[in-house]
């Protein structure tokens, strides 16, 4: 009798680092990976690109998120990914999210916060030079478009793609969580997501949020 080695479950996670709700989802996914064998593949998407033709419809307090400054973090992340190791995207997202959300520096993507995150992630601080130029905009847009194609319609951040029925990939916007599920609760939510993805008829499930994200 031959033992079968089970491969990790592949998970594609598209994120805009400026979205606080996305940060919560990403930390839940890492928590679930502590007890479930997951191969998390990180990709950028962009709320600035998603909303570039409808700025007048966005509340004023979110203009920085969907204006030119909103591209800064994803540009630098893709630059790190292109010019350094494949793990750079995950490390840099953790450091950016810690500053933008957990440490309360706010959603405004300042150059100082991005440069500090680069240093903490063990990356060259001079990658900040890509923040306000379009060097890798083609790659940013291509990654964003893949997130939208995965869901099948316009979708905000995050997008999570997991194995579905008959080996097909199923992608969803979300899940939205607060506070971050921990331990067995995080694992059960992951199992529920896989179960939903295994049902071809399943498309959407939603309820009202009970306040803003709670950062632990």
């Amino acid at each position: 009798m031959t033992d079968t080695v089970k491969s990790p479950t592949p998970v594609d996670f598209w994120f805009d680092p400026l979205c606080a709700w996305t940060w919560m989802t990403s930390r839940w996914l890492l928590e679930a990976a502590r007890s479930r064998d997951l191969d998390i593949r990180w990709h950028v998407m962009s709320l600035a690109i998603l909303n570039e033709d409808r700025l007048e419809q966005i509340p004023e307090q979110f203009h920085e998120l969907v204006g030119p400054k909103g591209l800064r973090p994803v540009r630098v992340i893709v630059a790190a990914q292109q010019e350094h190791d494949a793990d750079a995207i995950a490390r840099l997202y953790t450091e950016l999210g810690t500053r933008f959300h957990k440490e309360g520096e706010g959603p405004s993507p300042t150059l100082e916060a991005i440069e500090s995150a680069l240093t903490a992630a063990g990356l060259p601080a001079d990658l900040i030079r890509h923040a306000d130029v379009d060097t890798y905009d083609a790659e940013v847009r291509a990654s964003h478009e893949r997130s939208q194609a995965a869901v099948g319609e316009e979708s905000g951040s995050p997008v999570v793609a997991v194995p579905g029925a008959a080996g097909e990939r199923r992608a969803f916007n979300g899940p939205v969580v607060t506070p971050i599920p921990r331990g067995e609760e995080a694992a059960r939510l992951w199992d529920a997501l896989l179960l939903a993805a295994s049902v071809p008829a399943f498309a959407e499930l939603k309820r009202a949020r009970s306040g803003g994200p709670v950062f632990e």
Side-chain angles (χ1 to χ4, degrees):
M1 183 175 179
T2 303
D3 291 334
T4 301
V5 178
K6 188 176 180 181
S7 299
T9 303
V11 190
D12 290 289
F13 187 83
W14 282 271
F15 64 94
D16 186 316
L18 293 177
C19 176
W21 291 107
T22 298
W23 170 253
M24 303 293 286
T25 307
S26 72
R27 299 309 98 174
W28 155 71
L29 194 57
L30 289 172
E31 181 72 13
R34 292 163 62 93
S35 57
R36 300 293 187 265
D37 191 10
L38 308 183
D39 175 20
I40 305 172
R41 303 179 295 209
W42 305 88
H43 316 277
V44 299
M45 62 180 296
S46 172
L47 295 174
I49 293 174
L50 183 69
N51 295 289
E52 61 188 350
D53 295 325
R54 48 191 178 207
L55 186 61
E56 68 283 352
Q57 302 171 27
I58 305 297
E60 187 173 350
Q61 65 265 34
F62 298 120
H63 280 191
E64 280 195 315
L65 295 177
V66 300
K69 283 187 177 180
L71 285 169
R72 283 176 167 177
V74 290
R75 282 172 165 171
V76 174
I77 287 172
V78 171
Q81 185 182 32
Q82 294 288 324
E83 298 182 13
H84 295 276
D85 60 281
D87 292 334
I89 186 170
R91 298 200 314 273
L92 185 52
Y93 179 35
T94 289
E95 298 299 337
L96 287 168
T98 297
R99 284 154 181 76
F100 291 156
H101 309 304
K102 189 174 181 180
E103 293 180 358
E105 292 191 19
S108 180
T110 66
L111 295 176
E112 292 79 10
I114 298 172
E115 190 170 3
S116 171
L118 283 166
T119 300
L123 293 163
D126 69 354
L127 284 171
I128 196 68
R129 69 187 187 278
H130 295 289
D132 291 315
V133 296
D134 63 359
T135 313
Y136 294 110
D137 278 14
E139 288 81 359
V140 170
R141 287 181 177 274
S143 183
H144 175 82
E145 290 305 320
R146 284 191 292 271
S147 76
Q148 304 303 284
V151 178
E153 63 180 17
E154 282 196 342
S155 170
S157 180
V159 169
V160 181
V162 299
E168 294 184 357
R169 303 286 288 167
R170 298 292 304 279
F172 303 99
N173 173 217
V176 175
V177 294
T178 188
I180 301 164
R182 300 291 183 185
E184 184 58 27
E185 188 177 58
R188 290 201 312 271
L189 180 56
W190 166 254
D191 294 342
L193 182 63
L194 275 187
L195 179 60
S198 73
V199 180
F202 178 77
E204 186 177 17
L205 185 67
K206 189 174 183 179
R207 73 184 185 94
R209 302 172 188 175
S210 57
V214 177
F215 304 114
E216 298 169 349

